[in-house]
């Protein structure tokens, strides 16, 4: 059984064929999903799906690349955090705050970077207030992200989504208690850092994700990523670590349940 710790069933491209994608994933052995919000609307949809399907959990939050929308006044920021707070409290199936973090790839202006940091910290506070872990979106900002997490400790820590830093930095995140999520990028020919990270961190730190509809693994690279494709990534990792596909699934499942504080009953 595979736990997809970062999926966007709430993205239009996946949502329009939800039944197909969900059922095909279940048939492929993907049995638990953390559906990740990236703004207020997508967070609402994540909750709606989580309320309907026992296999799906929800994360609510505002992604850094969406901050521009909310950049104007601090009251608007607060308003948005307020909405996320009430969404997070509205359902027991909300088990994380995310995806939140920093993205300097899309946003290079210093004032936007500062706003991203403020939003990140505010949502970290929210996670601590609600005693939830976080799902982190961090792109081209690995050091700043780390500094914030070191200074603003998240009680329940969380998952580094689509980790793309060095293996050394991954170990630092590991020391803080974060899990490292591997997705399609692991299977790409040029993903040297990601592969080295997998080989150098503890097995207890490994979780998997699709990030569907983004970043489809080889041999589907360039196509829309589908939830069932996570199997390719898990198989790839198992081969790299020289363990069986089943063992890889078991290790990652245990790690996923642990970090997301889920008691698995059946
Ligand atoms: Ni995402």
């Amino acid at each position: 059984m595979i736990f997809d710790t970062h999926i966007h069933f709430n993205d239009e491209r996946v949502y329009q064929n939800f039944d197909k994608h969900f059922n095909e994933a279940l048939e492929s052995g993907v049995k638990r999903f953390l559906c990740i919000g990236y703004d207020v609307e997508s967070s609402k949809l994540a909750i709606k799906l989580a309320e309907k399907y026992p296999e799906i959990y929800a994360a609510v939050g505002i992604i850094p690349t969406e901050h521009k929308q909310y950049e104007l006044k601090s009251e608007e920021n607060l308003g948005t955090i307020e909405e996320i707070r009430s969404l997070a409290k509205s359902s027991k199936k909300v088990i994380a705050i995310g995806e939140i973090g920093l993205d300097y790839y899309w946003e290079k202006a210093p004032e936007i970077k500062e706003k991203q940091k403020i939003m990140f910290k505010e949502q970290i506070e929210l996670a601590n207030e609600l005693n939830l872990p976080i799902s982190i979106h961090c792109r081209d900002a690995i050091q700043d992200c780390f500094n914030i997490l070191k200074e603003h400790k998240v009680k329940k820590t969380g998952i580094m989504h689509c980790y793309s830093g060095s293996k050394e930095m991954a170990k630092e995140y590991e020391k803080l208690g974060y899990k490292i999520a591997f997705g399609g990028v692991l299977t790409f020919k040029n993903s040297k850092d990601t592969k080295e990270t997998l080989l150098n961190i503890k097995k207890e730190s490994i979780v998997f994700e699709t990030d569907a509809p983004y970043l489809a693994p080889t041999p589907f690279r360039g196509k829309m990523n589908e939830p069932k494709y996570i199997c390719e990534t898990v198989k790839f990792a198992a081969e790299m670590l020289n363990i069986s596909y089943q063992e890889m699934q078991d290790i990652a499942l245990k790690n996923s349940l642990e970090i997301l504080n889920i008691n698995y009953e059946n």
Side-chain angles (χ1 to χ4, degrees), residues 18 31 36 57 64 70 78 97 118 132 159 165 196 232 257:
F18 173 80
K31 306 274 190 190
I36 307 272
Y57 297 89
Y70 301 102
L78 289 173
I97 299 296
I118 292 167
L132 295 174
I159 297 173
E196 283 191 355
E232 302 302 323
L257 296 173

Side-chain angles (χ1 to χ4, degrees), residues 85 120-131 152:
R85 174 181 282 107
F120 189 22
K121 289 178 205 168
E122 285 183 356
Q123 293 183 95
I124 285 173
E125 274 175 35
L126 177 61
N128 279 337
E129 177 192 320
L130 302 175
N131 220 13
H152 304 262

